[in-house]
Amino acid sequence: MLFLSKKEVPLKEIIPDGYVDIHSHLLPGIDDGVKTIYQSAYILEQFENLGIKKIITTPHVIQQVWPNSSKIITEKLEKLKRVLPSLGISKIELQASAEYMMDDLFYQRIKDNDILPLHKNYLLVEMSTFSAPINLNEILFEIKLAGYIPILAHPERYTFYQNDLKKYDELKESGFLFQLNLLSFSGYYGDQIKAFAKKLVDHDYIDFTGSDVHNYHQLGILQKGFSSKMAEKITTLMNKNKVFA
Ligand SMILES: [Fe+2]
């Protein structure tokens, strides 16, 4: 009997040179990501070993839970960067932006131009996984008026759109770019999201990728890599992040 190999290719072999990760929660204690500087440093060290060139880490900014100010994020980044060399982490570039929930606080921040862009005029935004904001068009209008390009984090996770590609066409046409979570390909969020992630990739909806790593557990899953069938496709996709270098 012939057994087909289902071997996983480790992430280290899939990651292209110069990869920039644009989605993670690695500033300690300000959201549901890492809790200590030690945890940040460990994950950054692993990322460095994977050959990642730069991390733009993106703590949550959510009005009801983590209303992090630009100042808090910047201070946390500086504090972390001060200790990294003494822990032997010196190659990987570390920057901070935010993953902005498109809520009333974000709407106000956009109007006040109190924003930490991801890179140039790109912004990482998210919606609740239960429903889209009722004033989505109004928020998008303000984003564009302020001169930013919104990148929607993990479009594959908004199950309320019921995997309807027409909804995603509308979002694209209205000006959103899409950032897929690599963890979705690992099945971390379930088989349905994994299948939809593949569909979005196969139909060329995805502009960028991100790890969205919050903790050691997710890092471990990511490091295992992906099926050999998908490996090449994922490398091609990851190459698109070079615009953030
Ligand atoms: Fe995130």
Side-chain angles (χ1 to χ4, degrees):
M1 192 185 277
L2 177 72
F3 289 95
L4 292 171
S5 167
K6 280 192 169 175
K7 210 172 162 288
E8 306 247 293
V9 183
L11 182 62
K12 195 172 172 48
E13 290 170 30
I14 292 173
I15 281 193
D17 284 345
Y19 184 65
V20 180
D21 186 36
I22 59 165
H23 188 165
S24 64
H25 299 269
L26 302 179
L27 295 183
I30 62 170
D31 63 2
D32 57 345
V34 296
K35 294 190 170 46
T36 65
I37 281 194
Y38 179 84
Q39 291 174 356
S40 303
Y42 177 79
I43 293 175
L44 287 168
E45 185 181 35
Q46 297 299 308
F47 277 165
E48 195 172 84
N49 292 341
L50 285 166
I52 294 179
K53 175 187 161 67
K54 179 159 107 181
I55 300 287
I56 307 172
T57 196
T58 49
H60 285 290
V61 176
I62 304 179
Q63 183 165 24
Q64 306 295 339
V65 226
W66 303 293
N68 290 310
S69 66
S70 304
K71 185 167 178 270
I72 286 178
I73 294 170
T74 310
E75 283 172 2
K76 281 274 176 184
L77 171 72
E78 292 312 318
K79 197 173 167 194
L80 178 60
K81 282 177 81 168
R82 277 200 296 274
V83 302
L84 290 178
S86 64
L87 296 167
I89 298 156
S90 52
K91 287 203 292 285
I92 199 160
E93 277 176 63
L94 180 64
Q95 296 176 4
S97 170
E99 178 181 16
Y100 291 102
M101 177 61 75
M102 291 187 283
D103 57 16
D104 292 345
L105 176 63
F106 173 68
Y107 188 67
Q108 198 51 52
R109 295 256 181 107
I110 278 280
K111 288 186 133 187
D112 296 343
N113 200 14
D114 175 15
I115 290 288
L116 291 172
L118 197 59
H119 182 74
K120 295 183 177 163
N121 55 345
Y122 292 105
L123 283 191
L124 188 67
V125 295
E126 68 171 336
M127 308 191 239
S128 144
T129 50
F130 300 108
S131 62
I134 45 169
N135 58 342
L136 184 61
N137 288 333
E138 209 180 340
I139 294 172
L140 187 62
F141 177 82
E142 292 296 335
I143 293 175
K144 288 180 179 173
L145 191 65
Y148 292 112
I149 300 168
I151 301 174
L152 183 64
H154 38 65
E156 71 279 10
R157 295 186 63 198
Y158 303 115
T159 47
F160 54 85
Y161 283 138
Q162 299 189 320
N163 300 356
D164 180 1
L165 286 183
K166 275 191 227 126
K167 295 281 177 198
Y168 290 83
D169 287 331
E170 282 170 29
L171 290 169
K172 276 256 142 145
E173 281 160 21
S174 68
F176 284 101
L177 298 177
F178 293 154
Q179 174 261 307
L180 183 112
N181 276 10
L182 292 168
L183 278 168
S184 295
F185 282 139
S186 308
Y188 178 77
Y189 311 102
D191 289 341
Q192 200 198 339
I193 287 172
K194 181 177 179 176
F196 188 51
K198 282 185 184 168
K199 191 170 168 182
L200 286 174
V201 171
D202 287 341
H203 289 79
D204 287 328
Y205 280 77
I206 301 303
D207 301 284
F208 306 115
T209 53
S211 71
D212 203 2
V213 158
H214 292 64
N215 52 51
Y216 293 171
H217 176 62
Q218 292 172 337
L219 173 71
I221 291 173
L222 204 60
Q223 281 171 319
K224 278 190 192 149
F226 305 97
S227 74
S228 50
K229 244 165 64 181
M230 290 172 68
E232 206 175 317
K233 199 178 273 183
I234 294 175
T235 303
T236 306
L237 206 54
M238 290 178 88
N239 262 317
K240 296 185 176 188
N241 278 34
K242 287 199 171 142
V243 298
F244 302 102

